Amino acid sequence: MDKKLKWTFRMALTSFTLLIITLLVNYFREPLLGIKEGYAPHNFSFNFLFFLPAIITSLGLGIAVLGRTIKNWKKWNDLNKKLIFIGLSSPVVLLFIFQTIRILTIE
């Protein structure tokens, strides 16, 4: 397998895994970390120090994978690999788009 394909697959897998781990830790933060729902100082520090950097890292990797896949679309012949790259990296991009629209439409 080509070095670029391996590197792109690792980035896509890391993006997806980081997203899943971040969302699971966020959902189970009270039993795991003892952060109570609605207690502002702990929620703010958790979001600022853990959730936000992890999601931004995952988003950056996802956008890089999508860009790299589109850039090398004609060079890479295996359609399954290209679809796997897009499938692994698109959830974080779609989540970011959904959250951005949700924030902008709050009244």
Side-chain angles (χ1 to χ4, degrees):
M1 197 153 85
D2 188 21
K3 271 185 148 182
K4 283 188 179 182
L5 281 171
K6 284 183 183 178
W7 183 243
T8 306
F9 179 70
R10 287 181 190 147
M11 287 188 340
L13 194 61
T14 303
S15 172
F16 185 74
T17 306
L18 188 60
L19 174 70
I20 296 300
I21 290 171
T22 303
L23 292 177
L24 284 174
V25 169
N26 186 38
Y27 187 75
F28 295 112
R29 66 179 151 186
E30 186 170 355
L32 289 174
L33 305 171
I35 298 173
K36 299 213 182 284
E37 190 69 31
Y39 187 63
H42 290 161
N43 283 322
F44 177 77
S45 62
F46 170 77
N47 288 335
F48 192 69
L49 296 175
F50 174 74
F51 190 75
L52 187 64
I55 290 293
I56 289 175
T57 303
S58 182
L59 178 66
L61 287 170
I63 290 173
V65 168
L66 288 175
R68 198 174 234 204
T69 304
I70 291 169
K71 179 183 173 188
N72 296 313
W73 190 265
K74 291 186 179 183
K75 291 179 188 177
W76 297 340
N77 296 327
D78 193 2
L79 181 62
N80 288 335
K81 288 180 185 172
K82 291 187 270 191
L83 293 177
I84 288 172
F85 295 159
I86 291 171
L88 286 173
S89 61
S90 62
V92 69
V93 176
L94 294 174
L95 177 71
F96 181 74
I97 292 170
F98 172 73
Q99 292 294 347
T100 303
I101 291 171
R102 204 170 125 193
I103 288 171
L104 293 176
T105 58
I106 292 175
E107 292 182 14

